Amino acid sequence: TINGVDVTLRGGHPVTAGLPDGYRFNVGRAPGVTLAVPIRGESLGTTQNYAGELLPDDPTLLSFGSYGNGAFLWLGFAGIDVARDSESQRVYQGILVNAIAALTQTPTAALRAWPNGAGSAFALAVLPEVGHQPYQFLTVMDVLLDALKAEQAPATFFLTTEETVYYPQMVTQMAETGEVALSADSDDLLAGQPASLQHRRLSNAVDAFQKQTGRRPVGLFPPGGLFDVETLKSAQDLGFTYLLDPAPTRREPTFIRWDRELDYRDSLLISGTPARPLVRMHQSELTHPAYWSNQTSTNAMIVRMASALKGDLDRVHASGGLFLYAFEPGLQALTQRRADVVEALARHARMRGSWMATLGEIDVWWRQRSQLAVRMTPGRRGDGFEIEVDNAGETAVASVGLTLRLYERTRDVLDIEGATWSLDEATRELHVLVDRVPPGSTALRVRMAPTVLSSSAGR
C-alpha cells in the first residue's frame, strides 16, 4: 500500500527464534497509525520505506519488553496488514507463537544457526568488477593473502576464467588460503543475454576452470552481481550449488525459490523445485561506503572505516547472522590499506567467536542444517525434558547447537544426557552442543533437580 513499510527482523531473541534472521516482510499500515520509539521495550527489528531507507528516529513496529512483574509484545500493525504471501504469513505467525511462549515462559528449544554453537558466521568474498582488467584485480592480492594468512581467515575468491588462465600460480595460492569460485568466462554481463548464450558462456567457463584448477566450481558470482532467471537455470543445470547475491536482504543464506524467480511463462517449463536448489548468499548491509570519500586524511578514513565495519559485525553477531563482506580490489586506489582493514575485521570476528568459513563450507552446512528439526516435551516423570533432534538427511550432521529457554527453571538443570552444555549468565539460556546427529531421531534428556515442596507448617 502507499503507507506500507518493510520490517526487517532481528534474530537472537526468544520472539524471533527459529525465524530467518534479517527477513524483511511487507506491512501495509493503515493511514494515521503512528510508529513507536521504544523506551522500556526492546525493538525486534528495523523499519524502512520501500526504497530501503531507514525511517527517522529509528522507530519500530515490533517491540518486546518487560513492565512491572510482566512482559509485553507490541505490534504496530494488524494481521490483515501483513503481505499475503505464504512466507510473510509464516514469519508473522511464528512471531505470535514465539511471543506467546515468551510471555507465558513456556520452555522452548531452537536450533542454532551455525556449527559448534558459534554465535555468528564471518565470510569474506573477493569479487572481480566489471570493466577492470585481470592485472588490476590481482594488484593487491599478495597483500590481501598475507593479511588473511596472518589471521587464519579463509576467503572465497570469485574469478573469471581469464584470471585463472593468466595467473595460475596466484590461483593456487588462493586455493590454499580458501576457496576459488567462478564469475564467468569474462566480466561481460550475463543478465539479459539469450538463454542459449548464457548457458554456452557458463559451460565454457566451467570447462576452462576445471582444466586450470583440476576441479569443477560450485559457487557463482555473475559479472557485476547481475543475473536473471536464465542465469539461474544455467547455473542449476551446470551443477553450481550456491550463488552470491549482492542484494543485502538477509543475514543468513536462503534457498532459491523457483516459484518466485519464474514468471508465468517460465513456470510452464519447470515443474516443482529441483532436488538440490541453489543456496543464495546475501552480502551484508554495511555502513562504511561514505568513508571512501570526502575524507581529509587517509589514515583517519581507514580508522573510521574499520570502526564502522566492526560495529556492523557486532550488530550481525548480536542477531546470530552471517557477516558476508565483499572485497573489491580493483575498485579503490587504497587497496593496500584496505587489506589492513580486512585483517582488523577478521581479527575482530575471531575475537567474537564467529565461525570463519568459506562460502562453500557455509553452503554445505546450510544444506545439512535444513534437514534438522528439534522439539522438546516435558519428561514423563516431571523431572526434566525430553528433546528429539530429527535428521531427515542421509548423512550425519556434526556439531549441532541448540538453545534452550527454561526461564526460572534454568537454575535447576543438573545434566543434559547426550550433549555438552553451558549457561549464558546474561540471557539465562542454555547452549547445548551435540557432537553428531545421525539420520533419524536423536534423543536427549534434560535432567533437573526435583521440586521441593514445603510443609504446611512451613507455608
Side-chain angles (χ1 to χ4, degrees):
T1 70
I2 193 171
N3 299 293
V5 292
D6 285 328
V7 177
T8 301
L9 288 187
R10 178 179 66 82
H13 191 278
V15 176
T16 57
L19 301 177
D21 182 31
Y23 178 77
R24 183 176 297 175
F25 65 96
N26 185 2
V27 175
R29 298 180 299 127
V33 173
T34 303
L35 293 159
V37 179
I39 298 176
R40 283 183 294 264
E42 183 178 1
S43 174
L44 298 182
T46 57
T47 306
Q48 56 272 335
N49 59 27
Y50 286 157
E53 302 166 335
L54 293 177
L55 302 185
D57 300 324
D58 193 21
T60 186
L61 286 173
L62 195 60
S63 182
F64 184 89
S66 59
Y67 186 81
N69 294 326
F72 66 87
L73 172 75
W74 179 83
L75 299 175
F77 55 90
I80 59 174
D81 298 331
V82 179
R84 300 296 192 274
D85 66 275
S86 59
E87 190 171 17
S88 293
Q89 289 293 320
R90 180 183 68 83
V91 171
Y92 168 66
Q93 293 170 26
I95 290 172
L96 297 184
V97 171
N98 286 344
I100 291 171
L103 292 170
T104 58
Q105 295 195 346
T106 300
T108 59
L111 285 168
R112 292 178 70 84
W114 310 110
N116 291 313
S120 62
F122 174 84
L124 175 70
V126 183
L127 308 179
E129 298 120 301
V130 173
H132 290 270
Q133 298 300 317
Y135 75 87
Q136 292 174 297
F137 173 77
L138 297 172
T139 299
V140 73
M141 206 51 63
D142 285 335
V143 178
L144 177 61
L145 288 171
D146 289 342
L148 295 175
K149 290 178 181 178
E151 291 303 320
Q152 298 181 334
T156 302
F157 302 87
F158 289 91
L159 303 174
T160 66
T161 50
E162 288 180 347
E163 283 126 12
T164 63
V165 170
Y166 292 154
Y167 300 95
Q169 292 181 338
M170 187 67 72
V171 173
T172 300
Q173 289 182 273
M174 291 176 178
E176 293 173 351
T177 305
E179 173 193 10
V180 180
L182 184 66
S183 180
D185 54 346
S186 68
D187 65 2
D188 293 337
L189 297 183
L190 287 167
Q193 294 186 333
S196 59
L197 179 56
Q198 290 199 47
H199 192 282
R200 183 165 65 252
R201 284 185 58 194
L202 278 178
S203 179
N204 291 339
V206 168
D207 290 343
F209 185 97
Q210 185 171 13
K211 182 178 180 181
Q212 292 296 324
T213 66
R215 63 178 185 82
R216 293 181 69 86
V218 296
L220 177 68
F221 174 74
L226 302 176
F227 58 90
D228 55 23
V229 68
E230 303 300 345
T231 316
L232 297 177
K233 289 157 68 174
S234 296
Q236 187 80 47
D237 182 60
L238 292 169
F240 288 92
T241 63
Y242 74 86
L243 169 96
L244 175 56
D245 185 350
T249 56
R250 300 286 183 91
R251 289 189 291 267
E252 62 180 33
T254 58
F255 286 97
I256 296 289
R257 289 281 301 272
W258 286 106
D259 56 339
R260 295 190 180 188
E261 302 294 340
L262 308 181
D263 63 22
Y264 71 97
R265 294 163 297 181
D266 296 308
S267 63
L268 299 177
L269 304 178
I270 294 183
S271 59
T273 302
R276 286 180 59 86
L278 286 166
V279 171
R280 176 183 267 135
M281 306 286 184
H282 301 275
Q283 185 177 320
S284 297
E285 295 179 287
L286 305 174
T287 60
H288 77 279
Y291 298 144
W292 280 112
S293 59
N294 301 323
Q295 300 289 333
T296 57
S297 166
T298 300
N299 289 334
M301 179 187 70
I302 293 296
V303 171
R304 291 188 63 189
M305 187 179 73
S307 177
L309 284 171
K310 290 178 182 179
D312 290 332
L313 193 151
D314 288 342
R315 284 186 286 274
V316 173
H317 180 77
S319 69
L322 164 64
F323 185 91
L324 200 171
Y325 180 58
F327 184 89
E328 300 171 332
L331 186 61
Q332 307 295 343
L334 298 171
T335 48
Q336 183 167 349
R337 295 305 308 274
R338 194 176 175 196
D340 295 340
V341 173
V342 171
E343 184 174 354
L345 192 59
R347 187 181 307 118
H348 190 69
R350 188 174 299 283
M351 180 192 71
R352 285 291 188 196
S354 299
W355 178 43
M356 306 179 74
T358 65
L359 294 186
E361 292 170 329
I362 293 172
D363 170 43
V364 171
W365 164 257
W366 205 251
R367 292 180 185 281
Q368 292 179 329
R369 184 183 180 277
S370 69
Q371 301 290 328
L372 302 178
V374 60
R375 60 181 177 273
M376 182 170 68
T377 56
R380 297 177 181 177
R381 294 176 293 181
D383 60 347
F385 296 91
E386 303 291 338
I387 299 175
E388 289 190 8
V389 184
D390 294 328
N391 179 2
E394 299 179 353
T395 59
V397 182
S399 304
V400 177
L402 308 174
T403 296
L404 307 187
R405 297 180 177 89
L406 305 182
Y407 299 98
E408 75 279 358
R409 299 197 63 186
T410 298
R411 62 181 181 275
D412 298 327
V413 173
L414 298 177
D415 188 29
I416 301 180
E417 298 174 4
T420 57
W421 61 281
S422 62
L423 173 64
D424 187 321
E425 294 291 349
T427 62
R428 307 303 297 171
E429 297 170 345
L430 292 173
H431 293 172
V432 181
L433 184 63
V434 186
D435 289 337
R436 184 174 179 273
V437 179
S441 181
T442 298
L444 308 174
R445 183 169 180 267
V446 182
R447 191 165 58 88
M448 307 187 72
T451 302
V452 179
L453 299 177
S454 57
S455 64
S456 58
R459 291 196 300 270

